[in-house]
Amino acid sequence: MKRRHPNPKRVKIHRNYTVEEVAALFLVHKNTVRRWVKEGLPVCDNHRPMLILGHDLAAFLSFRRTRNKKKCKLGELYCFKCRAPRVPAENMADYTPQTDLVGNLSAICPDCHSIMNKRVNRSKLDELGGKLDITFPPEERHIGESPKPSLNGDFSYEEENV
Ligand SMILES: [Zn+2]
């Protein structure tokens, strides 16, 4: 069966979409849209139901059509504005956990200064830490005066879920 690529031009960039609306727009299953989110389609934080900006959706779908030509290397994030992989400005990135296993990496594009996002597996953070200076949200750190977690191999989360 031939798979059609959703046409980014169908997206109205100045409106927001729920997962259901995106699915209806492209006649795809909601799970397909959720997979796009896992692949890096940015969603609005702290919003339920999940909300996707039309601008991000159009950029993501354009990226998907050409991603084989422009694959991100380790330590790079894809800038939807530049339409190219970029090493974050100052090699700095913020990690926001979304579940115990995955989270969102965000960084600033060194060229256009827009925010780049990437869904990453927590298990990848060790490897990424060799390339990027990753900052964790305050709640990831221990209360008190414990140091920032080291990314140089001895990454430990033993205090989690206690
Ligand atoms: Zn950029």
Side-chain angles (χ1 to χ4, degrees):
M1 207 166 92
K2 205 174 161 192
R3 272 179 61 189
R4 285 172 307 145
H5 282 291
N7 187 348
K9 293 201 172 70
R10 300 188 65 174
V11 179
K12 293 185 173 63
I13 60 169
H14 294 299
R15 63 161 287 191
N16 303 328
Y17 294 86
T18 63
V19 168
E20 287 77 10
E21 285 167 343
V22 174
L25 182 64
F26 293 114
L27 305 173
V28 296
H29 196 275
K30 280 186 284 183
N31 286 347
T32 302
V33 181
R34 294 199 182 97
R35 199 178 66 234
W36 293 347
V37 171
K38 284 196 187 116
E39 286 175 15
L41 171 61
V43 295
C44 298
D45 283 338
N46 305 321
H47 199 283
R48 296 286 178 275
M50 206 187 270
L51 210 54
I52 296 155
L53 301 180
H55 179 267
D56 288 341
L57 180 60
F60 175 77
L61 293 175
S62 308
F63 162 56
R64 262 183 122 247
R65 289 179 144 191
T66 56
R67 66 178 163 178
N68 291 336
K69 294 176 203 156
K70 301 173 181 175
K71 216 166 177 194
C72 291
K73 296 192 203 81
L74 185 69
E76 287 180 337
L77 283 79
Y78 189 83
C79 176
F80 287 106
K81 203 167 168 195
C82 297
R83 303 195 169 190
R86 295 278 185 248
V87 175
E90 318 277 336
N91 286 331
M92 288 195 321
D94 289 316
Y95 180 77
T96 310
Q98 278 158 344
T99 70
D100 284 348
L101 296 175
V102 293
N104 183 58
L105 205 61
S106 65
I108 311 278
C109 173
D111 291 358
C112 70
H113 304 287
S114 63
I115 305 275
M116 308 182 288
N117 287 292
K118 186 181 191 176
R119 185 67 73 109
V120 291
N121 281 329
R122 185 151 215 160
S123 57
K124 274 269 183 189
L125 285 180
D126 256 355
E127 211 182 328
L128 271 170
K131 298 265 183 187
L132 298 175
D133 185 4
I134 301 174
T135 305
F136 293 82
E139 58 267 30
E140 281 279 293
R141 291 181 202 132
H142 306 148
I143 310 288
E145 46 178 87
S146 33
K148 262 175 84 169
S150 160
L151 283 167
N152 297 325
D154 55 343
F155 219 44
S156 165
Y157 286 103
E158 57 192 3
E159 272 89 353
E160 259 189 8
N161 304 324
V162 173

